[in-house]
Structures are given as structure tokens and as C-alpha cells.
Amino acid sequence: MAFFTYNDIKSIEEMIVTEGFNKEVIIDSASDNFNGKSLFLAHSPMDEEYLVGAISFFFGFNCNPYVKKSTSNKNKSTYDVANDYKTIIKACPKVVVLVSPESIDSQWIPWKLGYAEAIKGWDSVALLPIRDEYDVEEWINDGYLGIYPRVVHQYGDWVVEDPRDKNHWKLYRWLTM
């Protein structure tokens, strides 16, 4: 099993930019409107630099992700931010949370995961862990992160693996389940 690495995400971003796509346009189109999007790609502001690569990764699976810009939370009360997330989670069929060793202490990540699981069910929520190297680190198995399915590369394909029983689904199938 292999995680997505920072280099993988940056390579995807570089490829997209080389093909003439503008990073700001990609972010703006993914954050334009959550209605009709295939999934909510939740993240911490600490991982925003990886969003273009992550969005583009899901484009490769014919998936149209929504991202909420962290700047849209400025000047909002915690109650209003939570209501925004509730609305988005309800509207998007799947929820994938981009998480890294730098963002695991985010105050909103466990909240988003718990709310999404309660509303969508276990099989509609997954983590997209990213890190420096391909090997699995223990941080992904600690605490709340250890209980959620995660997007990993194994068996020559990207899959969503359930850490409880190691069952897995090909990512492209999971996205349409």
C-alpha cells in the first residue's frame, strides 16, 4: 500500500500547468458552486498548496470535486462555518478529506469526518493521506484517522481501503457507488 506523496501531487500540478491550465482557474472552478459536484474535497488551510494537484487527480477519475476556500471562512462565526460545511456535505455524494502530518491537528478535520459519516454513512467518506514518502506512517492509524477508509495505491491501482478489514474498492467505482 502506498500513500500519495507531496511529490506526486506537485507532479500532477506541474503537468496541468504545462498543459496550459491556470492554477487559480482550477481552484476557482472547484470552489464555484457545490451543487452538482461529485465530491467534497475537504482540507485544512495547512494543505492548501496541494489542492490543485488533488483536484486534478480526481479530474482524472472523471470526478468533479468541490473545495471550500479557507478565505471564505473569514469574518464568519464558528456556527456559520459549521453550517456551511453541513450544507456542502449534504449536497455532495462523497466526502474525501485531504490530510497530512501537518494538518492532522486541524480543529475542523475530525468534525467534517464525523459529520460526513453521520450524514452520508461509512462508505461515502474517505481520507486522501499525503506525505513525504510512499511508506505508511503510524500517524494515519492514530486516533480518528485510523478508523476511516483511505485512498491508497495498491494492486497497481488507486483504491479506497477500509482499515478495519482491509476490504477495498477501486477508486473509480467507489466514486460512483
Side-chain angles (χ1 to χ4, degrees):
M1 167 175 57
F3 286 173
F4 224 166
T5 68
Y6 299 131
N7 287 338
D8 293 335
I9 284 195
K10 286 298 183 183
S11 292
I12 292 171
E13 180 180 316
E14 288 171 14
M15 181 180 67
I16 294 299
V17 171
T18 301
E19 291 178 5
F21 293 95
N22 181 296
K23 292 191 283 188
E24 288 79 25
V25 170
I26 291 171
I27 295 287
D28 288 346
S29 70
S31 61
D32 182 35
N33 185 347
F34 54 82
N35 290 315
K37 299 286 185 171
S38 308
L39 69 84
F40 173 35
L41 180 57
H43 66 285
S44 162
M46 291 171 265
D47 292 328
E48 273 191 0
E49 68 182 285
Y50 305 110
L51 278 182
V52 171
I55 292 165
S56 300
F57 171 74
F58 285 107
F59 283 163
F61 288 90
N62 201 28
C63 179
N64 192 8
Y66 174 78
V67 296
K68 186 175 189 304
K69 291 182 181 178
S70 62
T71 56
S72 67
N73 291 338
K74 288 185 179 181
N75 302 320
K76 285 189 175 183
S77 70
T78 302
Y79 179 80
D80 289 337
V81 171
N83 277 334
D84 287 351
Y85 286 133
K86 287 178 182 179
T87 303
I88 294 163
I89 289 168
K90 287 177 184 173
C92 296
K94 299 286 185 180
V95 176
V96 174
V97 180
L98 180 67
V99 65
S100 72
E102 289 76 32
S103 64
I104 59 172
D105 294 327
S106 164
Q107 66 183 21
W108 284 106
I109 286 176
W111 187 92
K112 292 173 201 174
L113 284 165
Y115 186 79
E117 179 188 351
I119 296 299
K120 298 288 183 192
W122 185 264
D123 57 347
S124 292
V125 179
L127 301 172
L128 177 60
I130 57 172
R131 52 160 303 191
D132 280 329
E133 300 173 12
Y134 286 106
D135 298 331
V136 176
E137 277 186 3
E138 284 306 307
W139 64 268
I140 196 62
N141 296 319
D142 289 343
Y144 69 91
L145 294 176
I147 62 174
Y148 288 99
R150 67 275 314 249
V151 177
V152 296
H153 194 262
Q154 64 183 16
Y155 313 111
D157 207 349
W158 286 100
V159 301
V160 175
E161 182 187 67
D162 187 335
R164 298 172 301 171
D165 55 15
K166 303 299 183 206
N167 280 337
H168 62 277
W169 308 268
K170 290 191 180 219
L171 180 58
Y172 72 88
R173 287 213 175 134
W174 181 82
L175 289 166
T176 60
M177 289 177 24

